[in-house]
Amino acid sequence: MIRISIVTITYNAARTLQRTLDSVCRQTYPHIEHLIIDGASKDDTLRIAQQYKATSPHEVIIQSEPDNGLYDAMNKGLQKATGDYIVFLNAGDSLYAPDTIQTVVNAASPQSSAVSPQHLPAVVYGDTAITDGEGRFLHLRRHRPPKLLTWRSFKKGMLVCHQAFYARLDIARQFPYDLKYRHSADVDWCIRVMKEAEHRGLPLVNANVIVANFEEGGDTTQHHQDSLWERFYVMATHYGYIQTVLLHAWFVLRSVLMKLNCYL
């Protein structure tokens, strides 16, 4: 059976962690490993995590130690995970429905017993709902996942949210998060995973459902300007500077035209 590793990164996350843990706890799919990688929190984060571990029907692993930031902690999760697929679901984010993981597994292999691990899709992805600080639905994410995804798709922006991107662990582990990026290493990581999928001739499969809730106001939102610059350099690295400049010029022009249209 396909095994899913869910990695949750925490640091002083007592306010938002429970919603994330509850969404994993109620998953109907049994073969789940949940890793909580904590950065030596000083609030009630670890107490909440330990209580969850004692009651969760899934395997829960807690590791708490100082780290060098979010992506360093994610790299620890990459190394510690043991599943067939890995997904990062951080404090405040949550799985959309109790059958979300079952849906992802069905998309990866409708007849999982008949598919060998090396032939599983490189990525299973889905849509994302944006929620408020209390976990209430606000709207679907502005960037919507394409029917057919390739590594070139991210030229148009990060069309699949990181929390909705289930990567095969054997591929994902080849590409640690690049710590030179403070806010956009996830974009770079997703592109590199998808490039490797193309190299191996493996598909990227759309689950065709909402799979994640993403809390509005995360790290990228809080550091919007820095994130935009980093994403520019990520895109330039993968798609070339000239094409990236032209694409960003079009993004700006499109934004201006949309604003003008609002006043007409």
Side-chain angles (χ1 to χ4, degrees), residues 126-128 141 143 154 158-165 190 212 214:
D127 213 335
T128 303
R141 188 167 178 263
H143 286 307
F154 276 29
M158 194 175 187
L159 300 186
V160 178
C161 187
H162 193 217
Q163 290 81 350
F165 189 93
C190 288
F214 178 75

Side-chain angles (χ1 to χ4, degrees), residues 9-18 36 38-50 64 91:
I9 307 302
T10 60
Y11 180 69
N12 293 342
R15 182 187 69 82
T16 56
L17 179 58
Q18 193 64 57
I36 300 171
D38 180 71
S41 290
K42 298 174 176 62
D43 64 358
D44 284 339
T45 296
L46 287 176
R47 179 186 61 79
I48 294 169
Q50 292 290 354
S64 182

Side-chain angles (χ1 to χ4, degrees), residues 106-121:
N106 290 346
S109 180
Q111 298 176 337
S112 58
S113 61
V115 179
S116 59
Q118 63 266 31
H119 293 112
L120 289 171

